[in-house]
Amino acid sequence: RDLENHAAPSTAPPQKRPRETSDRSVTAAMARPSKPRKAQQQPRRSASGRGLLAGVVLAAVAALLGLRGRLAGVAERPSLVRTPCSRRDYKPAVPGCSPTGDACGRLVLDGFASAEELAGLRAIAARGMALGGGDGGPTILDLQSGALSWRDKFIDVWAAFNASGTPPFTTRDVAVYADVVRRIRSLAESTFGVSGLHLTAPTFFSRHSGDRPPKTRHDEYWHVHVDTLQYGSFTYTALLYLADGDVDFSGGRLAFVDERWERPLERVVPRPGKLVLFSSGHEHPHHVERVESGERLALTVAFTCDPEAALHDFLSRAVPEPE
């Protein structure tokens, strides 16, 4: 049931002040006779000039939106925050892979997944979760292990397909899932400057319903936790959001807190396609705020440096596509 608990100032050189013109000099200039000038044709603004102006405007708007997000304590722009790695985690260290020193951190990236990828992932979640559903708010679907929430326990989703007579997932159905996982792993390695990451368990879809009160303590997903403690093998954690925190549900923000597990450092509002990627140790205690209404849908993907904890074919139970 541990699855349910997750879910420098500017140094620019000084600019020259514009030349000031007094009223007296303006009057004198107007009084002096001037030679007639040939009428000059106003130059037309080129397409590249218009594009440059549009780019400046968009940059200004983005900066304003980013400032608004920072003032509200909510991450709204792609951002990478570097943090010192905890000394309690990532042992035994794997050279070239395990985070050390100041190499840990968290990345918030909007628009990682395309609309087509989001549609495919939502379809997988909906089809699998239709065969189950937790009583107390969270519903978990793990295609690798087969774990699917059913009332107050887990059942095997692949067995549920057989029992219900519903066709199981095919390799084509889950291809988008495998592609997204590969892209996240590549991003994790390039972002943190490591290599040799392996997918690890659990990797799962989670749905949190705001209209269902918790039935057991395992349904209380909003408690602060550390992934290396909760899951053991995690080195890097990725969360891909499939629903909108302003449209599909309210509440449910991801909150990173300080080392005392008290003061929020950053809150992330889920948006479809937004990816949050972070090192999984004690440098990143976090929790999901309680969903107040609607349904929050996300995909958790985790990576390890330990080859013995690797998942080599996590979608092997999918049925081959008929020829």
Side-chain angles (χ1 to χ4, degrees):
R1 303 305 297 269
D2 285 341
L3 288 172
E4 297 185 351
N5 294 328
H6 194 95
S10 173
T11 57
Q15 298 181 353
K16 295 182 179 180
R17 297 178 57 188
R19 188 178 63 180
E20 298 179 355
T21 306
S22 66
D23 293 340
R24 186 185 307 169
S25 63
V26 171
T27 304
M30 293 177 63
R32 290 196 298 266
S34 59
K35 296 180 180 180
R37 298 179 179 179
K38 294 182 180 181
Q40 294 183 355
Q41 183 177 2
Q42 184 69 20
R44 296 180 62 186
R45 184 174 294 163
S46 65
S48 61
R50 291 194 300 270
L52 178 61
L53 177 60
V56 172
V57 172
L58 288 175
V61 172
L64 179 60
L65 291 176
L67 175 61
R68 184 180 64 181
R70 289 194 297 273
L71 292 176
V74 175
E76 292 289 350
R77 301 175 63 199
S79 61
L80 174 61
V81 177
R82 290 289 186 182
T83 59
C85 300
S86 169
R87 296 181 179 180
R88 290 180 280 181
D89 305 295
Y90 317 121
K91 297 177 182 179
V94 178
C97 184
S98 299
T100 60
D102 295 330
C104 290
R106 59 184 182 270
L107 173 71
V108 180
L109 180 62
D110 289 294
F112 174 82
S114 68
E116 183 179 359
E117 288 172 328
L118 291 171
L121 293 172
R122 291 191 192 107
I124 293 172
R127 186 173 163 190
M129 291 179 179
L131 299 173
D135 280 343
T139 295
I140 302 300
L141 173 63
D142 181 345
L143 293 187
Q144 183 271 329
S145 69
L148 171 64
S149 301
W150 170 243
R151 297 181 178 177
D152 61 348
K153 60 183 178 180
F154 285 103
I155 60 174
D156 188 300
V157 66
W158 301 101
F161 275 126
N162 292 334
S164 65
T166 305
F169 292 117
T170 66
T171 51
R172 179 181 297 177
D173 295 331
V174 298
V176 62
Y177 189 2
D179 289 341
V180 166
V181 168
R182 279 193 290 267
R183 292 207 298 117
I184 296 175
R185 177 171 55 193
S186 178
L187 178 63
E189 292 183 334
S190 62
T191 298
F192 296 105
V194 300
S195 61
L197 289 178
H198 307 278
L199 183 69
T200 192
T203 288
F204 57 94
F205 293 89
S206 61
R207 183 182 69 200
H208 296 87
S209 301
D211 59 349
R212 296 183 180 184
K215 299 296 183 180
T216 71
R217 66 179 181 85
H218 299 290
D219 295 328
E220 298 179 1
Y221 54 84
W222 50 84
H223 298 299
V224 177
H225 64 276
V226 171
D227 285 351
T228 51
L229 290 179
Q230 185 131 326
Y231 300 109
S233 63
F234 282 27
T235 303
Y236 294 101
T237 305
L239 304 172
L240 179 62
Y241 296 113
L242 310 180
D244 196 316
D246 285 337
V247 177
D248 303 308
F249 62 94
S250 60
R253 296 179 299 184
L254 174 67
F256 292 99
V257 300
D258 63 8
E259 60 185 6
R260 296 184 178 181
W261 297 23
E262 296 173 351
R263 181 174 61 89
L265 299 178
E266 182 179 14
R267 292 185 175 96
V268 181
V269 177
R271 306 277 186 225
K274 176 181 285 187
L275 181 75
V276 182
L277 175 65
F278 56 96
S279 51
S280 308
H282 281 78
E283 67 276 358
H284 282 129
H286 61 281
H287 70 108
V288 173
E289 296 176 342
R290 189 166 181 172
V291 176
E292 300 169 359
S293 63
E295 291 186 341
R296 179 186 192 271
L297 186 63
L299 173 63
T300 297
V301 180
F303 302 98
T304 184
C305 293
D306 182 2
E308 294 185 1
L311 296 177
H312 297 288
D313 191 0
F314 76 110
L315 296 174
S316 60
R317 299 178 71 179
V319 177
E321 194 72 26
E323 298 180 0

